[in-house]
Amino acid sequence: MAFFAHQIRRGFSSSAVRNVVIKQVTIIGGGQMGAGIAQVAASTGHSVTLVDTSDDILKKSIKTIEGSLKRVVKKKFADKPEAGEEFIQKVLKNVSTSTDVGSAVQGSDLVLEAIVENLKIKQDLFSRLDKLAPAHTIFASNTSSLPISDISSATNRLDRFGGLHFFNPVPMMKLVEDTPGFIVNRLFVPYLYEAIRLYERGHGSKEDIDIAMKLGVGYPMGPFELSDYIGLDTIKFIMDGWREMDPDNTLFAPSELMDKLVAEGKLGKKTGEGFYKYK
Ligand SMILES: C[C@H](O)CC(=O)SCCNC(=O)CCNC(=O)[C@H](O)C(C)(C)COP(=O)(O)OP(=O)(O)OC[C@H]1O[C@@H](n2cnc3c(N)ncnc32)[C@H](O)[C@@H]1OP(=O)(O)O
Ligand SMILES: NC(=O)c1ccc[n+]([C@@H]2O[C@H](COP(=O)([O-])OP(=O)(O)OC[C@H]3O[C@@H](n4cnc5c(N)ncnc54)[C@H](O)[C@@H]3O)[C@@H](O)[C@H]2O)c1
């Protein structure tokens, strides 16, 4: 319980939120982030409903959670495999799935959105949710780059709306940003784009640039590996949005290669191909 409640209290100044107890959590979007957040919330004792657009996607989300829990348990319960299996079953019992967002938000203390990084789509969702969710429910977005005030403007619950920015993979990354003006992506996404532009200008191969960053500064993944891991659509959405707001900023310049890969549906690991091929 403590984890979510702590983040909520830190991030929201309103008295409507300060003393709230978070028990029921609805997570909308069962992709890589939504599944990871559902896992962490369920592992810390919350009752979680995971919502997506089809049962097939949700089946995949549960499989992802199961796989990730096995990895966690392998280390955490190295000497007690039975206790580890018990933990996995307990966590999975805390997660239910639904394709009906209206019923999923009933009784929910916190609705956390992790759908596609697109302002209009997020606004449409929250506008619907505002009418469907109980009055006490807190809303939060896992957006990577969009101003929370722009997303929340589609609702009438500005005193119970905030940003909770998790990092990928959620079960491993220890940071959650909940202050205005996220720091990490403002530095990190231009870095990824600059790596792509270096490659486009012929300064090095993808492999060499990845190896250089791993060996030279000790990053666990190079920029091309990491872009594929995050999802090229997400990175492009972030950059396109920033460029729209500040078109003259050279840090936000586009990349032809990135645009081409996204147009071809080569979004990285999640589609089997991005800068690299998988499977
Ligand atoms: C754009 C957004 O808005 C913001 C972002 O999220 S930016 C992205 C931030 N994330 C990063 O920068 C990630 C960088 N990469 C890493 O930290 C590491 O490569 C990594 C943790 C993903 C994987 O670690 P790595 O040593 O490279 O590979 P691997 O051997 O598979 O994993 C090491 C251990 O991590 C754990 N692990 C990795 N992924 C996991 C997951 N999804 N769930 C649970 N455990 C996991 C496992 O315990 C694994 O041990 P195992 O060998 O027993 O399975
Ligand atoms: N990938 C990352 O590293 C990362 C890190 C931090 C934050 N984020 C942010 O988290 C959000 C999700 O990113 P992701 O990487 O998990 O994306 P993803 O593509 O893996 O998953 C998005 C999921 O949302 C579902 N979805 C789309 N519209 C929906 C709707 N109206 N109702 C219900 N479900 C819907 C899709 O079917 C998909 O399963 C984005 O806002 C992204 O910017 C991503």
Side-chain angles (χ1 to χ4, degrees), residues 17-93:
V17 167
R18 223 169 287 143
N19 296 317
V20 79
V21 177
I22 310 282
K23 286 186 183 156
Q24 307 265 354
V25 181
T26 302
I27 293 163
I28 312 203
Q32 42 188 349
M33 295 308 290
I37 298 165
Q39 178 184 331
V40 171
S43 300
T44 47
H46 299 82
S47 174
V48 177
T49 306
L50 188 56
V51 180
D52 210 301
T53 51
S54 80
D55 285 324
D56 281 350
I57 297 176
L58 287 164
K59 264 188 208 141
K60 211 175 140 205
S61 315
I62 295 294
K63 251 186 126 181
T64 302
I65 294 174
E66 225 175 324
S68 176
L69 281 170
K70 280 185 185 149
R71 298 175 84 177
V72 171
V73 154
K74 212 170 112 189
K75 274 190 289 200
K76 237 181 157 180
F77 295 88
D79 305 328
K80 300 178 228 154
E82 275 171 25
E85 186 52 35
E86 213 175 287
F87 174 75
I88 291 176
Q89 293 313 322
K90 200 172 144 198
V91 174
L92 289 175
K93 240 176 115 181

Side-chain angles (χ1 to χ4, degrees), residues 27-35 37 51-54 57 61 101 113-118 121-122 125 128 141-146 164-170 185 188 226 229-231 233-235 237-238 267 270:
I27 293 163
I28 312 203
Q32 42 188 349
M33 295 308 290
I37 298 165
V51 180
D52 210 301
T53 51
S54 80
I57 297 176
S61 315
V101 77
E113 166 275 315
I115 67 169
V116 60
E117 184 74 352
N118 176 294
I121 299 176
K122 286 190 195 287
L125 174 70
R128 280 180 59 214
S141 173
N142 184 49
T143 179
S144 295
S145 62
L146 300 167
L164 283 179
H165 184 219
F166 289 80
F167 288 80
N168 188 15
V170 182
N185 282 348
F188 172 66
L226 194 44
Y229 190 69
I230 292 166
D233 51 340
T234 297
I235 299 168
F237 264 130
I238 296 172
L267 307 182
K270 64 184 171 187

Side-chain angles (χ1 to χ4, degrees), residues 183-199 201 206 208-227 230 235 238-239 242 250-253 255 258 275:
I183 293 166
V184 174
N185 282 348
R186 190 55 189 75
L187 291 172
F188 172 66
V189 177
Y191 149 72
L192 294 179
Y193 258 77
E194 192 50 25
I196 299 163
R197 288 190 286 260
L198 266 184
Y199 169 60
R201 289 196 295 265
K206 290 173 286 194
D208 282 349
I209 296 170
D210 275 347
I211 288 171
M213 292 311 290
K214 288 194 277 191
L215 299 186
V217 279
Y219 288 0
M221 289 179 179
F224 294 95
E225 292 168 326
L226 194 44
S227 296
I230 292 166
I235 299 168
I238 296 172
M239 214 35 147
W242 284 345
T250 51
L251 284 176
F252 303 157
S255 146
M258 178 66 114
F275 289 110

